[in-house]
Each structure stands twice: as structure tokens, then as C-alpha cells.
Amino acid sequence: MAANAPSKKAKVPRTAMPEQDPKVRARNFQEVALGYTAEMARIEAGRCLQCKKPACRKGCPVEIDIPGFIKQIVGNDLDEAYAVLRQTNSLPAVCGRVCPQETQCEGSCIVGKKGEPVAIGRLERFVADTYLAKTACETLTGGPACSMARDDLKVACIGSGPSSLTCAGYLAAKGIPVTVFEALHEVGGVLVYGIPEFRLPKGVVRQEIEAMKALGVEFRPNWVGGKTITVPELLESGYNAVFIGVGAGLPRFLGVPGENLIGVFSANEYLTRVNLGRAYKFPATDTPTFPAKHVVVFGGGNVAMDAARTAMRLGADKVSLAYRRTEYEMPCRREELHHAKEEGLDILCLNAPVEFIGDENGRLARIVLQRMELGEPDESGRCSPVACQGDTCTLEADMAIVAVGTGANPLISQSTPGLETYRRGYIVADAATGETSIPNVFAGGDIVTGAATVISAMGAGRRAAKAIADRLLGPAAGQPPEKTAGQSAGA
């Protein structure tokens, strides 16, 4: 009987996630996925095999006890399920929405070997949303941290994205006071300025931040790391350790003629105007974005998808996404590509821009595209795009959005003597601890690895936090070492 259990559960279909109709959601900023009901969650949780050696947990960069929290869903104890999640994950409502579960926990799920994997991300979202909706964060995180708070220690985190928030949450739970310095006027980093409302509602991020405030974390917006405050100044003012989690927010451009025309934006600028500036709420907010009817987005990652789907929702008549490889090579999540195509995104694969052409007023009017073909694989394993000489076409467009990657902002490295960096200005950090070339200065996330996922940044923040806690409080007896999850140290 037991031998047949895995195959029987593998044959149970995965519980579909309710979603807005594509034609409706393509013109609003409400969340696309509507979430599980309690009954849906229990049915899906029942598909879990409760493996004694769960491969799903090894596939998670922060090593969530996945069978543990799913078991509590089956038993209808959602408070305990949330408590299990928060043991290792400071942002479960966020991770349940934006993590690439298909290549991590769900990609390692045993049930998925003979059928569809357990919908771990959807269950994580369900638990977090249900718990946070009760505004009960303080019942889990308030008392214990306050009772053991150390007034002789303090740690600073520069940046308030996922790596810093994870680091801060871990340390605060250990009783170490943490201050988070954020350059912008709103806390949350890329979770607020980069990811659109329809994928990650700002209210969800605010709830997660409130849970961290309940732990005692102090947030200071409008402090620019490397300018308003520097790493040496923080150490000199008595902080025992500093964690650098500023991300990689310096946009890259294409280097083709006409890129400075009115109507050509980096994805960073465009999404920040819409998300942080709340342009998606115009005219309720007095912050409109650039009006456009024919939009072309360049890139194939999640940021490109976010920009394209945002342009649709802001009223563009047509939105195209030009990518120099094929759909197969696109690094975006398959779910995001599927949703975008459902909503009407026009995909122009094997095309690369060679010129932006403006009108008499310096505004973008047309884009010349070069036809490409795939050559030999490059160092990333993807086939290199090769130009088909003489094969071009011209598109009418009044907006172009460039989403071809980002680099390291040099403010921190330029203001921190002795901080070692490597290619493109990324910080060199130990893969296991996150410590940099300066003692008691740690770093993690995109500023170390280059642009990556939210959950990988969180994993880096957690490893650094453990190393900081071990140094300030002494090694925690009986705690296993943190996994590195492939985090590059840059050296």
C-alpha cells in the first residue's frame, strides 16, 4: 500500500490557481493570480508525500521546512504553518508570489517526477496571506525578540531590498538591534520600485515590513548609502557590523544611435516611475508617466516582461517585446511569459535594435530592427545570436524600453576604502558568510552576484546574518551550517 502511495499522489492533478480573465487584467493593475481558497489549499497540501529527506528543501535557497509547513495546512493550523515559514523566511508572502519555484523547490519535488509538482509557492502565499490578514504579526515576532534585546550591540543594513530585509529579520529575531538605511522615500527596495502591483501588491510588501518592525527593526528612508551615510561612518559611530544589500540598480543601455531620444527609457526608470511614483493610479495620484501608443521593449527577462505588461495596462494600443534569441532562451519565468502572451503581448524573437529614429522634435518615431539567427552556444550555454546581414525591418514606435540588464552602482565602493570589487564593480564577498575584504562588513544579493532572483538574495542575507550573529553572540550550538546555494563570491 505504502509503495503505491507516491504514484497515486503523483496522479492527483495540481490545483489550479484562480486568475483574472486575461482581457480584463490586461487593463488593470490588480493582482493577476487570485490565490487559493482554504479548501483548494488543503487539497493541494494533501498531494505532498512528506518525504523524510525532502529534496524540495534542498532546492530552496533559504531552506524552508517545506514538508513541515505543508503538514500544518493539512491539519488546518495556519498559525503554526506561518511560524514554520518564518523560521527561515522573513518574506513568505513575497516569496510565494515572485520566487521561481519551478526551478527551485518545485523543480526538486519528488511528486513532480511522475506528475506535476506540489504547488509549494502557492501554498506559501496562501499561508502568509491568511496569517497577515489577521494582523497577527506581533503574536509571532513581538515578545521574544524584545525580551532578549541587546542594548550593547547594533548592526546596520544599507538598502532595504530582499537581502537586507532577510538579514535584518534574522538578527532582530536574535535580539540584535538593526537599523536599515534606504536611499528612497519608501522601504522595500526592488520589491517596491521594480516589481509591478499586478505581480506583487505594495500592500503585501507593507505587511511584511510591519512584521519586521514588530521585531524591532528600525527603518530610515532617504539615506543614500555612499553619500548620506558611508560604511566607514557607520563603523566609526559604533555599529558592530554592516551589511551591504543595495542591489544592482545601474541600468545598461544598448549603445545604438538615437538612444537619447525622448521616449527611450531604461526599464529601471520606467518601472520606478510607475511603481514607486504610483503612476499606475493616475489620475488618483498626480504622477502620470510618459504617454505612448506603440511600445517596444527590448529584453527577455522578468524585468522586460514587467515593463511590457505595465505598458499594456497604461493604455498602449500595441506592445511588442523584441528579443535577439528565441522564446526558448528567454530567462524570464515561463509563467510570466504565458501570462503576457495571454494578455496580448506581441513577441518579436530573433530581432535586435540597430537604430532609434526620431521626428523633428527629437521624439522617438521609428525603430530599425536587425534580423538575427542562432549561432554556437556561448559561455552561458545559450546559443549566441548572429546578425543576418542586410535583413532589417522598421517599426513605428513612440516608446522604447530597454531591459537588457543592470550593473553595480559605484557609490558604495567609491566611498569605502579597502572594499574589494571585481567585474563591473560588484563586491567580492565570501560565499559562505558574505564577509567582504573589510572585517565586519558583509554583502549579499545582486551587489555581489549581479542581477539574480529575490530568493537567492534572501539566501545571501540569511547566510550573512548567521555569520554576524555567530560573531557577535558566539556560535549557536547545534545549528547546521548554511548552504551556499550556488552564490558566487566574485573572486
Side-chain angles (χ1 to χ4, degrees):
M1 188 79 172
N4 295 328
S7 59
K8 285 183 178 180
K9 288 202 173 187
K11 292 179 181 178
V12 176
R14 180 172 160 120
T15 307
M17 173 73 87
E19 297 176 348
Q20 282 195 74
D21 180 88
K23 292 181 180 179
V24 175
R25 72 181 190 236
R27 294 300 183 183
N28 69 54
F29 277 86
Q30 297 168 18
E31 196 165 9
V32 169
L34 302 178
Y36 279 159
T37 64
E39 181 61 22
M40 289 175 178
R42 281 194 292 271
I43 291 172
E44 185 60 26
R47 299 178 65 232
C48 178
L49 301 180
Q50 291 294 311
C51 303
K52 292 183 179 179
K53 295 182 178 180
C56 57
R57 184 169 186 174
K58 291 183 179 179
C60 173
V62 296
E63 293 194 275
I64 292 171
D65 180 5
I66 293 169
F69 95 82
I70 291 179
K71 182 178 180 180
Q72 299 303 327
I73 298 175
V74 175
N76 200 33
D77 189 346
L78 300 187
D79 285 3
E80 184 58 30
Y82 185 74
V84 173
L85 286 171
R86 282 299 297 267
Q87 287 173 5
T88 56
N89 187 352
S90 299
L91 306 169
V94 170
C95 287
R97 287 170 165 84
V98 302
C99 285
Q101 295 98 5
E102 62 275 11
T103 60
Q104 295 178 335
C105 55
E106 293 180 15
S108 303
C109 176
I110 297 300
V111 175
K113 302 303 179 183
K114 293 186 178 181
E116 295 181 291
V118 176
I120 297 167
R122 295 172 180 179
L123 293 174
E124 182 179 20
R125 167 185 165 161
F126 166 76
V127 170
D129 285 0
T130 303
Y131 188 85
L132 292 174
K134 299 188 300 182
T135 62
C137 304
E138 67 278 359
T139 65
L140 175 71
T141 60
C146 296
S147 64
M148 61 180 181
R150 293 281 298 267
D151 58 8
D152 59 327
L153 298 173
K154 60 179 181 178
V155 173
C157 292
I158 303 177
S160 67
S163 62
S164 281
L165 292 178
T166 301
C167 182
Y170 184 101
L171 294 173
K174 297 289 185 183
I176 299 174
V178 182
T179 303
V180 177
F181 296 89
E182 166 56 44
L184 298 174
H185 64 274
E186 190 169 338
V187 172
V190 69
L191 303 176
V192 170
Y193 71 75
I195 303 177
E197 180 80 3
F198 57 83
R199 272 218 300 141
L200 179 60
K202 307 310 165 200
V204 170
V205 180
R206 284 195 298 271
Q207 284 180 310
E208 299 277 40
I209 298 295
E210 289 304 312
M212 304 202 65
K213 288 181 179 178
L215 271 171
V217 177
E218 180 186 358
F219 293 95
R220 295 187 186 179
N222 300 311
W223 287 70
V224 181
K227 284 294 183 181
T228 313
I229 192 71
T230 67
V231 172
E233 289 171 346
L234 289 169
L235 294 173
E236 290 168 6
S237 64
Y239 282 93
N240 302 93
V242 176
F243 177 79
I244 303 170
V246 293
L250 192 67
R252 293 183 196 157
F253 286 93
L254 297 163
V256 301
E259 208 165 16
N260 60 345
L261 288 168
I262 298 170
V264 181
F265 294 86
S266 71
N268 299 54
E269 178 183 359
Y270 181 71
L271 290 172
T272 299
R273 283 172 178 257
V274 175
N275 297 328
L276 190 67
R278 302 295 194 268
Y280 65 90
K281 290 186 175 181
F282 181 80
T285 57
D286 191 21
T287 51
T289 190
F290 188 86
K293 293 301 180 184
H294 298 119
V295 179
V296 181
V297 179
F298 295 97
N302 290 325
V303 173
M305 289 296 164
D306 286 344
R309 298 172 70 196
T310 294
M312 291 181 195
R313 286 158 170 78
L314 288 175
D317 293 336
K318 183 177 182 180
V319 179
S320 301
L321 185 137
Y323 184 57
R324 59 183 186 155
R325 293 184 172 95
T326 70
E327 282 189 22
Y328 177 78
E329 285 85 19
M330 283 185 178
C332 65
R333 293 185 68 188
R334 298 298 97 179
E335 181 179 69
E336 301 308 319
L337 177 59
H338 171 70
H339 283 159
K341 292 171 74 173
E342 280 188 329
E343 293 163 8
L345 178 65
D346 178 35
I347 306 290
L348 302 174
C349 287
L350 294 171
N351 279 284
V354 292
E355 184 179 7
F356 296 106
I357 300 173
D359 62 15
E360 63 278 8
N361 297 313
R363 293 176 174 269
L364 179 67
R366 296 181 302 282
I367 302 172
V368 181
L369 296 179
Q370 168 73 61
R371 186 72 177 170
M372 312 294 286
E373 63 181 0
L374 294 182
E376 295 300 316
D378 60 17
E379 59 184 16
S380 72
R382 295 182 298 172
C383 292
S384 301
V386 179
C388 300
Q389 296 300 328
D391 190 354
T392 63
C393 66
T394 302
L395 296 180
E396 290 189 359
D398 53 357
M399 178 188 283
I401 303 172
V402 179
V404 294
T406 56
N409 191 307
L411 286 178
I412 293 288
S413 59
Q414 290 176 352
S415 63
T416 311
L419 184 65
E420 186 180 352
T421 60
Y422 67 115
R423 61 177 179 86
R424 296 174 180 167
Y426 296 118
I427 296 173
V428 174
D430 184 272
T433 66
E435 191 162 22
T436 69
S437 55
I438 302 174
N440 296 322
V441 176
F442 299 75
D446 291 3
I447 193 60
V448 172
T449 62
T453 63
V454 168
I455 191 66
S456 65
M458 291 176 63
R462 185 167 180 262
R463 290 192 296 276
K466 184 179 184 300
I468 294 169
D470 286 351
R471 183 164 300 177
L472 299 184
L473 302 175
Q479 285 200 5
E482 297 295 313
K483 64 183 286 188
T484 60
Q487 178 87 349
S488 168

